[in-house]
Amino acid sequence: LDPWEDNDRVNGVAFSPDGSTIAAACGNRKLQLYRVCDGAHLQTLTGHKNGVLAVAFSPDGLTIASGSKDRTVQLWQASDGAHLQTLTGHTKAVSAVAYSPDGSTIVTASWDRTVRLWHTSNSWGPAPVP
C-alpha cells in the first residue's frame, strides 16, 4: 500500500466492514482506497480543501465519512467514490469521525472542543442532533 502519494502523511485509516478495503485519510486532502488482498489502489476521493484527518466506513459498508482540517465532514459512496454530502458546523478541524453500530448516527469530534452527532436516517441526509 502506498498512500503517501505526493509525499504526504497518512493521518487515519479504516477497514471496510467486510475487511476487503482500507481507506487512508491523507494530509494531501485526499482519501485513498486500497484492496486488502493485494494492496491494489482502487480509487482516490477528492473534495476536501485541506488535509484529511479521519475516516470511517458505515456499518453496512455503503458510505465513507471523512473529517478534515477544512472543518467539514464529507460523505462518499463507497462503491464508486461519488460525493454524497458535506456536513458543516464545526469551527475548527474535524479530527475524528465514527458511526454508531446501527449506522443511524455519525459522531464527529473537532479541534473546536466539540462533539457533534448527526442523524443519518433523515430522508434529506444527515442532520445535526439538537
Side-chain angles (χ1 to χ4, degrees):
L1 302 178
D2 188 14
W4 293 274
E5 179 180 289
D6 301 333
N7 297 317
D8 217 325
R9 71 177 138 229
V10 175
N11 296 313
V13 292
F15 272 105
S16 62
D18 67 3
S20 67
T21 304
I22 293 172
C26 301
N28 60 4
R29 303 178 302 203
K30 299 174 184 176
L31 284 172
Q32 304 287 354
L33 301 184
Y34 295 90
R35 190 169 42 232
V36 171
C37 66
D38 61 6
H41 180 261
L42 299 173
Q43 57 189 330
T44 299
L45 310 183
T46 60
H48 281 292
K49 294 179 174 70
N50 208 326
V52 185
L53 298 175
V55 62
F57 280 88
S58 61
D60 62 10
L62 299 178
T63 306
I64 299 168
S66 57
S68 169
K69 288 182 178 180
D70 67 9
R71 305 183 312 258
T72 70
V73 176
Q74 304 281 346
L75 301 181
W76 313 87
Q77 190 165 291
S79 62
D80 63 5
H83 181 262
L84 299 172
Q85 188 171 5
T86 300
L87 307 180
T88 61
H90 285 292
T91 60
K92 293 190 178 178
V94 179
S95 56
V97 60
Y99 280 86
S100 63
D102 67 0
S104 67
T105 306
I106 298 170
V107 61
T108 58
S110 171
W111 293 353
D112 65 12
R113 300 182 182 182
T114 65
V115 172
R116 290 183 177 263
L117 300 172
W118 310 84
H119 286 302
T120 61
S121 57
N122 184 323
S123 62
W124 296 325
V129 176

